[in-house]
Amino acid sequence: MQSGKKKERETILLADREAPLGWVYLRIYKDKTFEFESRGLERVGDIYAGNVELKNDTIYFKYLDSIPKAGNKAILTEKFVSYFNGDYPERLEIKKSIIKTKN
């Protein structure tokens, strides 16, 4: 009997925040892929995925298709991931990070 569970990818950064009607999550994986998820209370989340590149303290998100309104660039600090070039500013609190920044 095969398990329906797929192999867990190793995360190097987990960040999230509570939204007015749900949650926003960011997961960055060891293989330099990521998922940005906006999830409502009563609906399945919208997941935006792609590859990530870190230069100094800036994260560049290269989305596979559509880009969320938060944008595709963020500043990484010790406690937060702060998107700065979208339709609105988005700030997610870091829950786990093994990424080292060069400040």
Side-chain angles (χ1 to χ4, degrees), residues 21-66:
L21 295 172
W23 285 89
V24 177
Y25 300 95
L26 173 64
R27 294 177 287 273
I28 299 178
Y29 299 99
K30 192 173 185 177
D31 65 0
K32 297 187 178 175
T33 60
F34 74 92
E35 294 175 334
F36 178 90
E37 180 179 5
S38 176
R39 182 185 308 182
L41 293 175
E42 297 184 14
R43 65 179 171 85
V44 176
D46 295 321
I47 296 178
Y48 303 88
N51 295 303
V52 68
E53 183 179 351
L54 180 65
K55 290 183 182 175
N56 297 320
D57 65 347
T58 305
I59 305 172
Y60 297 88
F61 298 95
K62 295 178 174 79
Y63 293 91
L64 295 175
D65 47 36
S66 60

Side-chain angles (χ1 to χ4, degrees), residues 58-91:
T58 305
I59 305 172
Y60 297 88
F61 298 95
K62 295 178 174 79
Y63 293 91
L64 295 175
D65 47 36
S66 60
I67 297 173
K69 292 182 187 293
N72 65 354
K73 293 179 189 167
I75 296 293
L76 178 64
T77 63
E78 189 177 323
K79 296 184 180 183
F80 296 99
V81 175
S82 300
Y83 288 79
F84 63 88
N85 74 328
D87 292 350
Y88 65 93
E90 179 68 82
R91 188 171 88 157

